[in-house]
Amino acid sequence: MCVRWYSKVSGSFMVSNGTSQGSILSPYFFARYIRYCLNTLLMERVECNIGGQFINVLAYADDFVIIMPYWRAMQHLLDALSVETLAIDMSCNPQKTVCVVF
């Protein structure tokens, strides 16, 4: 494997496990991998009412959206997410993390 970023290409390296980027199975396997993490967040029972639906986290592929009505609840879920991601040896990229307030 190698990485291409715009016109630059990295050196080659071996990949011995995982799924290929863009593989049809990648979202399925990732969902299975983070299943308990998402369940933990859902069980926190801190949610936002949107159109009669109570929601606290949305996930698609490798993206999470945490929806909270106030900042303390957001911090509570981020702390829970931190514990769960450490347990499954996953990290979040702070350079791709955004907080939006409406």
Side-chain angles (χ1 to χ4, degrees), residues 28-43 57 59 64 84 88 90:
Y28 173 78
F29 288 139
F30 185 73
R32 298 292 292 173
Y33 184 68
I34 63 167
R35 178 187 213 172
Y36 294 107
C37 180
L38 290 176
N39 283 339
T40 298
L41 296 180
L42 293 172
M43 299 308 279
V57 63
F64 285 86
E84 291 301 313
I88 61 173
M90 186 174 98

Side-chain angles (χ1 to χ4, degrees), residues 3 7 10 19 28 59 71 73 86-87 90 92 95 99-100:
V3 175
S7 62
S10 73
T19 59
Y28 173 78
W71 73 267
L86 282 174
M90 186 174 98
C92 297
Q95 293 160 337
C99 181
V100 178

Side-chain angles (χ1 to χ4, degrees), residues 2-11:
C2 63
V3 175
R4 181 176 19 176
W5 181 260
Y6 295 103
S7 62
K8 305 282 187 198
V9 178
S10 73

Side-chain angles (χ1 to χ4, degrees), residues 22-84:
S23 167
I24 194 167
L25 292 176
S26 294
Y28 173 78
F29 288 139
F30 185 73
R32 298 292 292 173
Y33 184 68
I34 63 167
R35 178 187 213 172
Y36 294 107
C37 180
L38 290 176
N39 283 339
T40 298
L41 296 180
L42 293 172
M43 299 308 279
E44 290 294 322
R45 306 306 300 165
V46 180
E47 303 162 324
C48 196
N49 184 341
I50 301 175
Q53 294 289 323
F54 290 94
I55 300 170
N56 68 358
V57 63
L58 301 172
Y60 179 76
D62 62 348
D63 295 316
F64 285 86
V65 176
I66 297 175
I67 303 169
M68 285 291 102
Y70 50 94
W71 73 267
R72 286 188 186 184
M74 176 72 74
Q75 188 61 57
H76 177 75
L77 277 190
L78 289 173
D79 292 342
L81 178 63
S82 177
V83 169
E84 291 301 313

